[in-house]
Amino acid sequence: MTSAVLFSWLATCIPLIGALAGRMLWEDLSQLKQSCVIWSLISVVPILKLQTNLPEGALLLALLPIVAVISLLGQPVQKDHRLSWVMTLVCLGLGIGSIVHPAPLSHLFLLALLMTMTGLLVHHHTILWPISWWGISLFCLAALGALVTVMTNPPLSSFGALMTAAVLIPLLPFHTGYVTALTRLPGNLPSFSAFLLPAVGLHVMASALQTVPTTASGIVGLLALIGALYGAVKALAQTRVRLMLSYASLSFFSMLWWHSAASNLATARAAVLVASVGLATCGLLIAWQIIRTRYGDDVDPSSISGLASSMPRYAVLVTLLALAAMGLPPFGVFAGLMGLLLHSPIPSLIGLMILLSSWLAASWYLMSAVQRLLFGVRRSDLRYHDVVQQEWVALTITIIILTVLGLAPIEWWTSTATQSMTQTFSRVIP
Amino acid sequence: MTPVNESMDLESKRMELRGVVRLAGEIIAQYWPMRTFVHHNPLHSLEYLPFEETVRRGKQFLNGDGYLPSDLYRAYVASGRIRLEHLEAALQPLASDRTIVLGSRSVTHGEVLRACLTEGICSPVREPLDDQLEDPDRDLIERIARKLEHVLETPSLDDRVKKVVETNHSALCRWLTLSHWCDDTLGTSIVQTINDQMIKWCSAFLDEGHAAWTMSDRDEGLYQSWKRLAAQEWSLIGIADSRRKIAALPDHPEDTLLESLDLLGIPLALRQDYLSLQLTALPGWAGFIKWRGEERDYPWQQAHPVGLVKFLAIRLWYARELVQAACREYLDIQGRFDEIIAYMRDYSEEYYLRRQRIAGHLPSLYAEEVDRLAHRKGQGWNAVLTRYRTEVVPRHQATRRRGNARRLLVLSRSLDIRDEQLVESEPQALKQVIDWIEAFPESDHGIVWLKAFEAGYHEPLIGQLIAASKRERTEKPTTLPLRPYSQSVYCIDVRSEPFRRHIESIGPHETYGFAGFFAAFIRYRAWGKEHDTEQFPVIMRAKNEVREIPRSYLDHKVSQHQVWTKWVHAGHTLLHDLKENVITPYVMVESIGWFYSLPIFGKTLLPSLYRRVTRWLQRQFVPPLPTTLTVNKLSPTDTSEMLTVEHHKLIRVAIQERLGLRSIHITPSLIEGLRQRALQGGGEQDPGFLAEAEVVGLKANALDAFVLVLQREYDVNSRASSRYKERLTRTGFTLEEQTLTVETALRMMGLTKNFARLILFCAHGSTSDNNPYESALDCGACGGNEGQPNARVLAMMANHDKVRARLRKTGIDIPSDTHFLAGQMNTTTDAVRLFDLEDVPPTHRADLARLHDDLREAAELASRERCGRFPEVQQPLDESQATAHVRQRSVDWSQVRPEWGLSSNTTFLIGRRELTRGLDFNGRVFLHSYDYREDPTTRFLEVLLTAPQVVAQWINMEHYFSAVDNEVYGSGSKIYHNVVGRFGIMSGPWSDLRLGLARQTVMNGEMPYHEPMRLLTIVEAPRRGIEKLIARHEVLQHYYHNEWVHLVVLDPVDGEWYRYRANGEWAQLVQEQMAMTS
C-alpha cells in the first residue's frame, strides 16, 4: 500500500471512526461535541499529507474538516443535536472518500453520501414542508446519476456525472435538493452541507466537463444564466433566512456553472469561488443558528431586530460575513468571481450583464436581511445575549478563511493538473 | 330654495369638520421653525389632564414612552441615585398588607412589588418556545414549572382568539387607523407609503427658500397645489387610475376629507380620534402645519396658505385608496370600518393567525403557511389552525410556565430564599406571587420610578435651602449694607447660575435673576436685516417695535457700509445659487471646488484660527458700525417728516423709472405736487403745479395716469400712508411706557435701593457652527433669540433722566451716579460682551474696567466648571485651558455638544438671592429674584408664576420628553440630521420633522445627561397669596393639581417649608430630615 493510498484511507476513515466513537459518548453531550470536533481536526492531518493531483486543487478537500469543525462549534450543546454531530463526521468521511479515492471507489462513497442525505431528509420530513419530497427525489436522482457514471461509458457517464453535480452544486432546475438540504436537515448539518455538497459536486463536475458534448455545455450555460437570475429574484422575495441563503447560493453557483460550461473546465479559481460561497453561506447559516439558539428553532426572522446595540460582537461578525457573501473585496467570493471573469472566456455580453445584475442583487437582499436583524427597534420582549466563545470562534475562523481566500495568490491552491490545464487553455485563447 | 339649503348644509358640515379637526389637533404640539427654536412641552395641549393620563395618551396616539426604560431606573438604583426608601414610599399607595409564605419565609405584597421594580421580573420578555442557550438554572426552572402546571391557568386558544378580536374591535379607529389595521393584519405598508407621500408633498410645499426649484401653484394652498400636480403624476404606489381620481376630487379640502371619512365608514363618534391618529402618524409635519395655520401673519403662511384640514384631506385620500385596494386584494371586502369589523367577527381564527404572523409570533413553518394562504379568505385556514392548536399551543403553555418559574426564581433570590425552599413552596403560594406580579405590569412602573427619582433629588436640594434659610434668619446683618461694586441682572436661565455664583465670589458684586426679555416686549429689527424678531416669550404679544440704527455721527459711513454689505450679500447669493442650481454644480465643482478645501481643512484642523482669520477678513470688508436703538417714540411731526421723506424717495424713483427723467429736471416742488395729488386723489388742480408738470412733459391725461401708477404700484396713497404712520407709531416707547417697564422690572426683581455705580443687564446668546439647533441655545424668554436688544432697551430706558425723575416719584430713587449697562453672555464661551460703551460717563471708567476684569475672571471659572461635565474632558483643566477649550467647541463644526449647559435643568426658584447665595446648584436651577416684601398684593408673583414659570416648565418638559423617549419626542441622533426647507430637521433624507432635542443633548452614552424629572418650583412667599393665585389661574391649577409641576413654598409668615399637594392641601416638610439628607 503506497503512502497516498494509506493517507486517503486514513482521511476517509478517521471521521467515520470518530462517528462510531461518538456512540460511546452519546449521553455526555459536551464530551460528544468535543469528540466530534477533535475527530474532525485529526482528519486534517492525513489530508495535509496527501499528494493529490485533483483538477480543482486541494483547497476544498483541506477545508472540508475545518468547515465541519466550524459548523460544530456554532451549535449549542443540546440533546437534539447529537445525531447531527455524529452525522457530520459520517458525511465528512464519505465526502472525503468521494474526493480522494479513484473511481469507482469514489463513486461508491458518493453514492453512500447521497443516500445518507436522502435518509436524513426522509427522517426529518414534515407535512408542513411538502416540497421537501422534491429535494429528496433530486438526491435520489443524483444517486442514480452516480450509478450511471459508474456503470456506463462517456458520453452517458458524463451526463450522469453532470446530473449528480447539478444536484450537488445547485443548477436550475436541480437546485431543490440543495435548497431542501439547507432548510430541512437538522442541527449543524445545513451549515456543513452548504460547503460539503458543492465541494464534492465540483470534483464530480471537474471530471465530467471534459467529456461533455458542446451542445450540453450550451444548455448548461443557459440554465446557469436563468438560474443566476432566478436565484437572485427568489432570494429577494424570501422572508426565511435559510431559504434566502439557499437561493443566494444558487445564484452564485450558477455563475460558476456558466463559466465552467463556457470553458469546459473546473479549475482552482472555480474551487476558490466554491469554497468562498460555501463558506460564506456556512457562516451565515451559523449566524442564523445563533439566533435560533436564543429564540427557538422555528423563530420568525421578522420578529427579531435591534441586535446591533445589544449584541455588538455578533453584529460585527455578521456584517463582515454579509459583506463577504455579497462579493465585496477583500473576501474570497469577490476574488473567486473576479478570477473567473478575468481568466476565462465570456461567451456572451448579455450573459455577463445578467451575472453582474445577479451579483448586484446580492448586495440588496443580503444587506437588507442583515439590516433588519441588526437595526430597527430594540425589542423589549427579547432577551439579548451576545455570542458565546465557541460561536465567536466559529464565525471568526470563517471570516479569516474568507479573507485569506480573497487575498492569497491563486498559485497557493493550484495543483499540477490544474496548472497544466490552465496553460493549455491559455494557449488556446490568444 | 333647495340649492340654497344644500349649500348652507354643506357649509355647516364644513364648519363642523373644521371644529373636529381643531380638536383632533390638540394631541400634537406646534412646531416652531428651527431658526427660533422654542422649547415647549410636546404634550402641551393636554396639560388639562393629569400627568399620568397625558403620558398614556402620548403612548396611545404617538407610541411615545413617558418614562425612562426600567433598566435605566435600575441602573440609578445600583448607583445610589434612587434610594430604596424613596422607592418604598412611592410604592406605599399600591402595596396591600397581605403576605404569603415561600419556603419558610413570609413575603409581603410590598416586597414583591419592590422586587418587580428592582429585579425587572415584570419585564415583557417573551420566553422563546425552545431556546437552547446553556442555562445552569434550567433544571430548577423545569421543576418549578412542573409545580405550576396544575395551578396556573392558561387561556385556551379560543379565548385568546376572542380576546384579540375584542381588543382590536374596540381599538379600531380609537387607537388604530384602518391603514394600521391593514399593515398589522395583511403585512402591507400603507402607513409608510402614505407618510412618504405626505413628506414628499409637504417638504416641497412648505419650503422657505431652500429649494432651488420650487413647487408650482403654491399660492393656491397645499390642497389645490397637490391636486393640480398629483393629477399629472404617474402613481407608483399602487393606486389604480390615480390621475383621474385626483382630478375628480372636490375643490374644497373639507369636502374631500368628508368624502374620505364616509368612504372609510368612520363612525361620527370616532372621527375626532381617527383624525388625531392620522395627525400623529407624522407629528412633526402636522405640528408645523398646525403652527403655520395659527400664525396668520407669518409671511410664508400669507404667501402659501396651509392648514390641518388640507393636510388631512390629502392624507385620507391616500388612506382610503390604499386601504380599499389592500382589503379587496387580500380579503375580498370593502375597505370600510363596518366590513372590517364583520371580517374580524366572522373569520376570527383566520384573523388571529394573520395578526400573529405579522407580529412575528408564529413559528416559521406556520408563518410560511399563512403567507401561502394570505390571498385566500376562509380557505385552508382551519387546517393550519388545527395543527397550531395541537402542536404549538401546548408549547406556548409550557413556555409560559417556564417564564413564570424564572420570575419566581429571580424573586426568591432577591429575597434571600434558598432555591430548594422555593421549589418546596406550596403551588398556591407560588400562584399568588405570580398573580401579584402580573397585576403590576411594567407599564405601571414608570410613575413609581419617577416619584422615587424625583424624591432623590428634591430631598437634598430642599434640605440645602432649609439650612440656608435657617442661617439667613439667625445671622442678622450687624452693619448697614455697603454699596456693591456692581449689580448685574442675568436671565433666569440655569446657565446663569454658575456665572452668578462665580462673579459673586470674586468681589462685592450683587446679582439678580430676571426673565431674559427684561420686561421689554419688543419686535426688533437689527441693522441691515429685512425681518423682525419677536423678543418675548411665545405665549405673549408685543406692541412696540425697536430698530437698530447706526449712531448719528456715522451717517457719512452708512452708505459705504451698505454698498459693501450689498456686495457681500450678492456674493453669498451667487455662491448659493451656483451650488443649488440643477446644472451649475457640475461646472462649479470643477472650477472653484478646490477653493472649498480651505474652509474644509481650516474648520476641521484649526477651527479657532480659521474663525479668527475669517472674522478679521469680514471686518476688513464690512467693518461693524456702532449702533443705537430707537427706544423713544417719534413725535407726530417726526412721523410726518419721515413719511414725507419716504414718499419723496419713492416718487423720485418712479419718475426716473416710468418717465425716464434725469435728476436735474426733478424739482422738489414737482415731487411734492405729485405727492399731494396722490394722497388727495382728484379735486382742484393747482395751475402752477400743472405748468411745472407740462414742462417735464406731463399733460393732464398723462399726469392722471402717472398719479394712478404712484398710488397703485408705489403705495403712495392715503391708506398706505396710514399704515406706515401706524407702523411708525409702534416704534419705540412713550415716556410712561418706559417708566412702567423699568419700574416693573426693578420692583419685580427686588432692586429698589442701594444701587451700585454700574448696573449690568446681561442677556445671553450663543455661538456654534454647523448646528441647526443653534437657536435652542439662545434665550427662551426672548422667543428663541439673543436677548441683547432687550437688555439694551432696558438699559437705555433706565439711563433716561426723565424716566428716573418719574421713578423717583414712585419711590425708586436711582442715584445720578448710577449707570445702566447692557451686555450679553455667550453661553458657549461664557464671555460677556458689553454694549453701548460710548454712553458710559468718563467718571465710570475705573468701575467699568474693574467690572470688565471681574466678568472675565468669572467667565473663566464658569468655563472651568462646565468643562468638568464634558465626557471627553478627562483631566481637570485650569482657567486658561478651559477658556480655550470652550472657545474651540464654539467654532468646531463637528461638535455635537457645543455648550451642554441647558440640559439637566430641574428647578425654578423664585425668591431673594439671600436665600441661595453661596449655594452650588450645578447649573440646574432657574433663579428668579423676587422679594415678597416689595409685592404685598402678589401682583408681581402672579406674573412670575404665569409667565417665567411657564417658560421654565416648557424648557423642562422639552428636555424631559426628549430624554425619556428620544425617538418619539426628541429628534434622534444629530449625526443623521438634515435641514429641510430652512425651517426643520429630518433624520436622513426622508423622515418626519424631528420634534424635540437631539440625543446628544440629553443623553450621555446610554444614561441620560438630563435627568428627566418634572419641574420643581420653589417660592418664597406667603402661602395665602399663592393659594389665591392658584384659584385665579387655570394654568396653575393644571400645573399643580395635575402634577405637571411640584410646588414647594417657604412661607415667610412662619418660616416653615411646605409642599403643595395635588389635592390642594399643604404638607409641612420635616426640616430636620431634609437638612440631614442634604
Side-chain angles (χ1 to χ4, degrees):
Chain A
M1 190 184 276
T2 62
S3 63
V5 176
L6 175 69
F7 285 125
S8 301
W9 278 105
L10 275 177
T12 310
C13 293
I14 286 173
L16 295 173
I17 295 166
L20 283 174
R23 286 298 301 170
M24 288 185 283
L25 300 166
W26 196 248
E27 293 307 319
D28 189 336
L29 298 179
S30 301
Q31 291 267 351
L32 176 63
K33 188 179 164 187
Q34 273 178 24
S35 135
C36 291
V37 170
I38 291 166
W39 282 107
S40 303
L41 278 175
I42 294 172
S43 63
V44 179
V45 180
I47 289 175
L48 292 178
K49 296 277 182 188
L50 265 175
Q51 296 288 319
T52 55
N53 200 17
L54 302 169
E56 74 275 16
L59 173 66
L60 293 167
L61 182 63
L63 282 177
L64 263 178
I66 297 171
V67 175
V69 171
I70 291 169
S71 74
L72 284 165
L73 288 176
Q75 201 67 13
V77 179
Q78 237 263 343
K79 208 163 67 177
D80 296 344
H81 298 318
R82 285 180 298 193
L83 178 68
S84 69
W85 300 338
V86 172
M87 290 313 292
T88 302
L89 290 179
V90 172
C91 292
L92 175 64
L94 297 177
I96 293 172
S98 66
I99 295 173
V100 296
H101 292 288
L105 205 53
S106 62
H107 291 105
L108 291 177
F109 277 112
L110 177 62
L111 206 58
L113 176 67
L114 291 166
M115 293 321 292
T116 309
M117 284 285 171
T118 310
L120 283 167
L121 286 173
V122 170
H123 187 246
H124 287 91
H125 174 72
T126 164
I127 50 166
L128 281 169
W129 196 265
I131 200 166
S132 63
W133 283 123
W134 279 104
I136 293 165
S137 312
L138 279 161
F139 273 110
C140 292
L141 192 69
L144 185 68
L147 268 179
V148 169
T149 316
V150 178
M151 297 169 71
T152 59
N153 293 321
L156 200 57
S157 65
S158 302
F159 281 118
L162 205 59
M163 196 159 64
T164 309
V167 174
L168 295 173
I169 308 177
L171 173 72
L172 195 84
F174 305 101
H175 62 283
T176 317
Y178 177 85
V179 172
T180 310
L182 260 61
T183 47
R184 296 310 312 148
L185 284 176
N188 64 308
L189 284 172
S191 53
F192 182 53
S193 305
F195 188 89
L196 172 75
L197 298 182
V200 175
L202 187 71
H203 180 68
V204 178
M205 186 217 267
S207 52
L209 279 175
Q210 294 165 40
T211 49
V212 160
T214 323
T215 324
S217 299
I219 293 169
V220 167
L222 188 67
L223 288 175
L225 278 184
I226 299 169
L229 208 57
Y230 172 79
V233 172
K234 283 288 275 186
L236 270 169
Q238 292 310 315
T239 52
R240 306 266 86 83
V241 174
R242 293 208 279 191
L243 271 176
M244 189 262 284
L245 292 175
S246 309
Y247 284 111
S249 305
L250 167 66
S251 181
F252 277 98
F253 285 130
S254 296
M255 299 179 198
L256 168 79
W257 274 109
W258 190 65
H259 276 279
S260 302
S263 60
N264 275 19
L265 277 178
T267 60
R269 293 187 200 283
V272 170
L273 181 64
V274 168
S276 305
V277 174
L279 204 56
T281 310
C282 166
L284 286 171
L285 284 167
I286 292 171
W288 177 238
Q289 175 60 47
I290 290 171
I291 297 295
R292 295 168 74 213
T293 302
R294 279 144 188 79
Y295 307 113
D297 256 353
D298 40 15
V299 64
D300 181 1
S302 62
S303 64
I304 310 289
S305 61
L307 302 184
S309 58
S310 317
M311 295 169 59
R313 291 202 303 170
Y314 175 79
V316 170
L317 294 168
V318 167
T319 308
L320 289 172
L321 276 172
L323 292 176
M326 71 175 70
L328 285 188
F331 300 105
V333 180
F334 173 79
L337 280 172
M338 290 309 287
L340 287 185
L341 283 174
L342 298 174
H343 295 91
S344 56
I346 293 172
S348 86
L349 209 57
I350 294 171
L352 182 66
M353 295 309 291
I354 290 173
L355 289 204
L356 291 177
S357 307
S358 308
W359 188 359
L360 192 67
S363 59
W364 178 261
Y365 54 75
L366 283 171
M367 266 340 258
S368 160
V370 169
Q371 200 180 338
R372 269 204 311 272
L373 278 181
L374 301 189
F375 301 106
V377 185
R378 188 182 184 279
R379 295 180 60 140
S380 57
D381 58 346
L382 293 184
R383 193 178 291 131
Y384 293 97
H385 195 297
D386 209 346
V387 283
V388 296
Q389 197 183 15
Q390 291 200 354
E391 293 165 342
W392 183 83
V393 169
L395 293 183
T396 308
I397 294 174
T398 312
I399 292 165
I400 291 171
I401 297 175
L402 281 167
T403 315
V404 172
L405 288 174
L407 298 177
I410 191 67
E411 289 74 25
W412 286 20
W413 325 121
T414 316
S415 68
T416 331
T418 323
Q419 274 174 351
S420 67
M421 273 193 291
T422 313
Q423 279 159 11
T424 317
F425 192 74
S426 305
R427 281 198 294 274
V428 174
I429 302 171
Chain B
M1 283 302 285
T2 314
V4 175
N5 279 344
E6 270 178 13
S7 130
M8 281 175 65
D9 185 40
L10 195 61
E11 191 49 46
S12 68
K13 274 185 179 173
R14 287 176 190 155
M15 276 181 67
E16 193 186 349
L17 181 71
R18 284 194 284 266
V20 172
V21 170
R22 193 167 43 76
L23 290 173
E26 269 191 352
I27 184 68
I28 50 163
Q30 292 103 323
Y31 183 103
W32 276 263
M34 291 300 298
R35 57 184 170 275
T36 51
F37 185 93
V38 175
H39 289 92
H40 63 292
N41 179 0
L43 299 173
H44 164 65
S45 312
L46 298 178
E47 279 174 359
Y48 63 86
L49 295 170
F51 178 78
E52 281 181 68
E53 175 57 24
T54 307
V55 164
R56 263 195 291 275
R57 294 277 183 103
K59 186 76 185 167
Q60 174 188 350
F61 288 105
L62 298 161
N63 198 27
D65 288 322
Y67 309 99
L68 285 176
S70 293
D71 287 348
L72 291 187
Y73 284 122
R74 277 191 279 281
Y76 281 127
V77 173
S79 69
R81 170 63 183 79
I82 292 180
R83 292 181 9 214
L84 289 180
E85 61 263 32
H86 292 143
L87 206 52
E88 272 162 15
L91 273 173
Q92 210 169 18
L94 304 174
S96 70
D97 53 1
R98 296 177 62 190
T99 58
I100 46 107
V101 177
L102 286 184
S104 56
R105 184 162 172 335
S106 178
V107 178
T108 65
H109 182 216
E111 282 177 315
V112 174
L113 295 189
R114 197 182 72 182
C116 284
L117 293 169
T118 55
E119 306 302 323
I121 50 182
C122 298
S123 71
V125 170
R126 289 165 61 95
E127 285 292 316
L129 284 177
D130 51 355
D131 74 309
Q132 298 160 13
L133 266 186
E134 284 182 65
D135 184 356
D137 295 328
R138 194 175 291 277
D139 289 341
L140 202 57
I141 288 169
E142 290 296 341
R143 284 168 66 195
I144 302 167
R146 276 197 292 278
K147 290 206 84 168
L148 295 173
E149 199 164 347
H150 300 295
V151 289
L152 207 62
E153 288 168 13
T154 314
S156 69
L157 179 63
D158 293 335
D159 291 341
R160 273 158 52 192
V161 170
K162 199 174 159 194
K163 193 181 169 195
V164 166
V165 170
E166 279 171 3
T167 311
N168 291 336
H169 184 168
S170 57
L172 200 63
C173 295
R174 290 184 185 88
W175 292 56
L176 202 65
T177 61
L178 300 190
S179 326
H180 261 115
W181 184 89
C182 287
D183 288 357
D184 292 350
T185 310
L186 309 173
T188 52
S189 50
I190 294 178
V191 174
Q192 189 56 47
T193 307
I194 300 173
N195 284 350
D196 288 348
Q197 290 298 314
M198 295 310 294
I199 292 167
K200 180 177 80 176
W201 293 111
C202 288
S203 57
F205 182 85
L206 295 168
D207 182 78
E208 296 185 357
H210 197 173
W213 193 347
T214 55
M215 187 175 173
S216 60
D217 302 320
R218 288 202 292 168
D219 48 344
E220 292 180 33
L222 174 66
Y223 176 74
Q224 288 297 347
S225 180
W226 165 79
K227 194 167 164 250
R228 190 159 296 180
L229 273 180
Q232 296 167 36
E233 190 192 46
W234 184 38
S235 170
L236 293 171
I237 57 170
I239 301 176
D241 205 10
S242 65
R243 283 182 282 185
R244 187 191 57 74
K245 285 177 182 169
I246 292 172
L249 286 174
D251 285 338
H252 285 274
E254 290 88 348
D255 299 348
T256 303
L257 183 51
L258 280 168
E259 192 180 285
S260 299
L261 287 168
D262 290 341
L263 281 172
L264 290 166
I266 312 298
L268 283 175
L270 299 179
R271 286 191 173 183
Q272 185 187 321
D273 276 354
Y274 195 76
L275 294 177
S276 288
L277 287 169
Q278 291 289 350
L279 291 173
T280 52
L282 282 175
W285 288 104
F288 184 59
I289 289 173
K290 181 182 174 184
W291 178 82
R292 282 267 302 250
E294 290 170 3
E295 292 289 318
R296 293 180 192 285
D297 296 336
Y298 186 60
W300 289 99
Q301 175 66 7
Q302 286 173 339
H304 313 305
V306 65
L308 289 181
V309 174
K310 296 181 174 85
F311 175 82
L312 284 169
I314 301 171
R315 188 173 178 93
L316 261 81
W317 180 81
Y318 283 114
R320 86 187 197 201
E321 292 295 331
L322 291 169
V323 167
Q324 194 68 251
C327 286
R328 278 205 189 127
E329 183 186 344
Y330 288 92
L331 307 174
D332 196 22
I333 60 171
Q334 296 289 320
R336 290 176 55 82
F337 174 79
D338 49 356
E339 296 217 11
I340 286 173
I341 293 284
Y343 166 76
M344 285 197 285
R345 192 185 54 231
D346 299 342
Y347 298 90
S348 54
E349 290 170 341
E350 173 188 327
Y351 173 65
Y352 175 80
L353 281 177
R354 283 182 189 271
R355 281 194 76 90
Q356 293 292 99
R357 159 70 186 106
I358 302 301
H361 295 162
L362 285 186
S364 54
L365 284 177
Y366 288 85
E368 285 286 341
E369 278 291 285
V370 171
D371 288 349
R372 198 169 55 79
L373 296 171
H375 287 77
R376 295 185 218 162
K377 188 177 79 169
Q379 298 165 15
W381 290 89
N382 278 344
V384 182
L385 196 81
T386 308
R387 273 204 307 275
Y388 182 81
R389 194 188 298 273
T390 52
E391 287 178 8
V392 183
V393 171
R395 288 170 70 195
H396 270 303
Q397 287 166 345
T399 301
R400 182 164 177 252
R401 285 194 294 275
R402 279 205 303 276
N404 280 314
R406 191 185 294 277
R407 288 172 167 185
L408 288 171
L409 194 62
V410 175
L411 172 80
S412 71
R413 285 175 180 170
S414 77
L415 297 173
D416 292 329
I417 298 170
R418 284 189 297 113
D419 295 346
E420 283 307 316
Q421 283 185 321
L422 178 72
V423 178
E424 286 158 15
S425 299
E426 285 298 315
Q428 285 301 335
L430 298 178
K431 182 177 182 298
Q432 180 61 70
V433 176
I434 291 167
D435 288 345
W436 283 348
I437 293 171
E438 286 183 347
F440 188 45
E442 199 162 69
S443 55
D444 292 352
H445 295 188
I447 189 68
V448 180
W449 280 120
L450 180 62
K451 283 177 180 172
F453 192 50
E454 288 172 337
Y457 176 74
H458 290 182
E459 216 170 78
L461 176 75
I462 297 169
Q464 214 181 355
L465 288 166
I466 288 173
S469 69
K470 270 188 177 172
R471 260 200 315 276
E472 198 238 332
R473 274 207 304 276
T474 50
E475 293 170 8
K476 293 289 174 196
T478 49
T479 52
L480 285 171
L482 292 172
R483 196 175 189 191
Y485 282 177
S486 77
Q487 284 154 332
S488 38
V489 186
Y490 297 88
C491 180
I492 58 172
D493 195 286
V494 293
R495 290 166 289 184
S496 304
E497 187 270 322
F499 194 91
R500 288 177 63 183
R501 186 163 20 94
H502 289 304
I503 191 142
E504 284 173 349
S505 70
I506 290 167
H509 297 282
E510 280 182 6
T511 67
Y512 294 81
F514 196 83
F517 67 104
F518 296 114
F521 296 88
I522 53 169
R523 291 169 71 91
Y524 171 74
R525 185 176 295 188
W527 166 242
K529 299 286 177 190
E530 288 175 8
H531 296 291
D532 293 345
T533 54
E534 300 192 329
Q535 302 282 140
F536 45 84
V538 290
I539 50 174
M540 295 172 175
R541 284 282 172 268
K543 61 184 172 97
N544 300 84
E545 292 181 0
V546 170
R547 289 187 176 211
E548 186 184 29
I549 52 171
R551 290 195 173 250
S552 54
Y553 63 86
L554 292 166
D555 279 353
H556 62 287
K557 286 191 176 174
V558 170
S559 54
Q560 188 191 349
H561 186 274
Q562 281 176 327
V563 169
W564 275 110
T565 309
K566 207 179 277 180
W567 275 108
V568 170
H569 182 70
H572 274 292
T573 311
L574 179 68
L575 272 182
H576 173 265
D577 289 353
L578 285 172
K579 275 200 297 183
E580 303 294 328
N581 197 285
V582 179
I583 305 294
T584 49
Y586 301 101
V587 184
M588 190 188 165
V589 168
E590 298 294 331
S591 54
I592 57 171
W594 289 106
F595 291 105
Y596 277 83
S597 61
L598 205 62
I600 286 171
F601 285 111
K603 283 179 176 185
T604 309
L605 301 175
L606 299 162
S608 297
L609 178 67
Y610 176 80
R611 177 56 66 96
R612 276 206 296 277
V613 171
T614 48
R615 280 199 179 152
W616 177 81
L617 276 172
Q618 209 172 358
R619 277 200 302 275
Q620 299 311 306
F621 281 110
V622 190
L625 285 183
T627 58
T628 187
L629 303 181
T630 57
V631 172
N632 295 321
K633 266 281 191 256
L634 295 168
S635 67
T637 324
D638 290 342
T639 312
S640 299
E641 219 169 84
M642 284 179 77
L643 180 65
T644 308
V645 170
E646 184 69 22
H647 279 169
H648 281 196
K649 207 165 88 182
L650 286 172
I651 294 168
R652 182 178 289 274
V653 171
I655 292 173
Q656 285 173 340
E657 283 178 359
R658 297 302 173 108
L659 305 178
L661 280 184
R662 294 173 62 190
S663 298
I664 198 163
H665 300 301
I666 306 170
T667 61
S669 53
L670 174 67
I671 292 174
E672 182 55 26
L674 283 167
R675 175 172 171 268
Q676 290 302 333
R677 272 181 69 87
L679 292 179
Q680 289 160 11
E684 200 72 14
Q685 297 189 346
D686 175 13
F689 165 67
L690 287 176
E692 198 169 355
E694 272 197 29
V695 171
V696 294
L698 280 173
K699 297 269 169 54
N701 285 346
L703 183 66
D704 286 341
F706 184 65
V707 167
L708 210 60
V709 168
L710 283 178
Q711 288 172 330
R712 287 188 183 166
E713 293 182 32
Y714 290 86
D715 267 354
V716 184
N717 56 51
S718 54
R719 186 179 288 179
S721 301
S722 302
R723 274 206 308 271
Y724 187 75
K725 272 187 179 173
E726 197 260 322
R727 176 100 198 270
L728 286 177
T729 53
R730 285 207 301 265
T731 303
F733 293 78
T734 62
L735 190 60
E736 288 77 23
E737 286 172 336
Q738 291 186 37
T739 311
L740 184 67
T741 305
V742 178
E743 187 196 352
T744 306
L746 295 180
R747 282 201 191 283
M748 208 178 268
M749 68 181 82
L751 177 57
T752 53
K753 52 184 176 289
N754 195 32
F755 290 95
R757 279 168 63 79
L758 277 181
I759 298 176
L760 169 67
F761 293 124
C762 192
H764 66 94
S766 69
T767 49
S768 53
D769 199 358
N770 189 24
N771 180 15
Y773 280 87
E774 189 166 19
S775 75
L777 303 178
D778 286 341
C779 183
C782 298
N785 299 295
E786 291 187 342
Q788 52 100 349
N790 302 66
R792 291 176 76 188
V793 164
L794 190 65
M796 288 170 83
M797 287 176 178
N799 284 330
H800 201 304
D801 288 340
K802 287 180 183 170
V803 171
R804 288 194 184 189
R806 290 201 175 200
L807 284 174
R808 208 165 292 126
K809 288 177 194 163
T810 66
I812 300 177
D813 188 5
I814 302 172
S816 58
D817 66 346
T818 293
H819 182 79
F820 289 88
L821 266 176
Q824 176 162 288
M825 181 168 62
N826 184 334
T827 51
T828 40
T829 62
D830 296 303
V832 174
R833 181 184 165 203
L834 302 177
F835 296 93
D836 302 319
L837 293 178
E838 297 98 319
D839 300 333
V840 179
T843 50
H844 286 59
R845 277 185 190 158
D847 304 279
L848 185 63
R850 184 169 56 194
L851 176 65
H852 200 271
D853 289 346
D854 289 352
L855 286 172
R856 196 176 54 216
E857 195 177 335
E860 287 173 356
L861 291 169
S863 298
R864 189 181 168 192
E865 182 179 325
R866 194 152 50 88
C867 283
R869 294 185 212 146
F870 298 135
E872 65 270 33
V873 178
Q874 303 292 333
Q875 300 290 327
L877 304 179
D878 64 29
E879 279 84 355
S880 58
Q881 287 171 326
T883 305
H885 181 80
V886 293
R887 279 191 188 153
Q888 169 100 355
R889 291 180 89 91
S890 74
V891 293
D892 183 354
W893 69 341
S894 65
Q895 183 52 257
V896 288
R897 290 166 182 141
E899 180 204 84
W900 230 18
L902 189 53
S903 296
S904 81
N905 63 79
T906 58
T907 307
F908 181 45
L909 196 149
I910 302 172
R912 291 168 301 128
R913 182 60 173 158
E914 286 78 1
L915 201 64
T916 55
R917 184 173 292 135
L919 297 183
D920 183 353
F921 294 123
N922 291 313
R924 304 185 73 177
V925 179
F926 298 92
L927 291 174
H928 203 303
S929 296
Y930 169 74
D931 192 338
Y932 62 91
R933 292 166 301 193
E934 292 284 334
D935 187 26
T937 60
T938 65
R939 183 166 60 96
F940 296 139
L941 185 60
E942 184 172 12
V943 176
L944 297 185
L945 290 178
T946 53
Q949 185 189 221
V950 173
V951 174
Q953 195 260 356
W954 281 22
I955 294 173
N956 176 267
M957 277 293 127
E958 178 87 271
H959 281 82
Y960 178 95
F961 282 108
S962 293
V964 293
D965 194 339
N966 192 256
E967 280 308 314
V968 174
Y969 296 118
S971 59
S973 175
K974 274 187 179 180
I975 308 300
Y976 316 115
H977 282 177
N978 276 311
V979 175
V980 56
R982 290 192 179 160
F983 58 83
I985 297 291
M986 292 199 293
S987 281
W990 204 256
S991 83
D992 190 15
L993 284 184
R994 300 314 303 262
L995 292 171
L997 299 168
R999 183 178 171 80
Q1000 287 85 353
T1001 306
V1002 288
M1003 302 294 283
N1004 184 8
E1006 290 303 311
M1007 292 301 284
Y1009 174 74
H1010 174 85
E1011 292 185 340
M1013 293 182 280
R1014 291 166 290 183
L1015 186 72
L1016 167 66
T1017 296
I1018 300 173
V1019 184
E1020 185 196 18
R1023 279 180 295 152
R1024 193 175 296 275
I1026 295 174
E1027 280 170 3
K1028 283 182 188 165
L1029 294 178
I1030 294 173
R1032 198 182 300 158
H1033 290 282
E1034 208 173 43
V1035 64
L1036 301 182
Q1037 290 161 22
H1038 291 164
Y1039 277 3
Y1040 307 136
H1041 296 167
N1042 291 342
E1043 298 188 297
W1044 285 94
V1045 176
H1046 300 283
L1047 176 64
V1048 168
V1049 168
L1050 166 60
D1051 191 339
V1053 177
D1054 58 8
E1056 297 291 340
W1057 289 78
Y1058 297 89
R1059 182 185 286 275
Y1060 188 76
R1061 294 201 176 284
N1063 58 9
E1065 291 173 0
W1066 294 98
Q1068 189 175 343
L1069 296 173
V1070 186
Q1071 300 198 5
E1072 287 70 25
Q1073 192 191 335
M1074 292 281 187
M1076 271 175 65
T1077 321
S1078 75

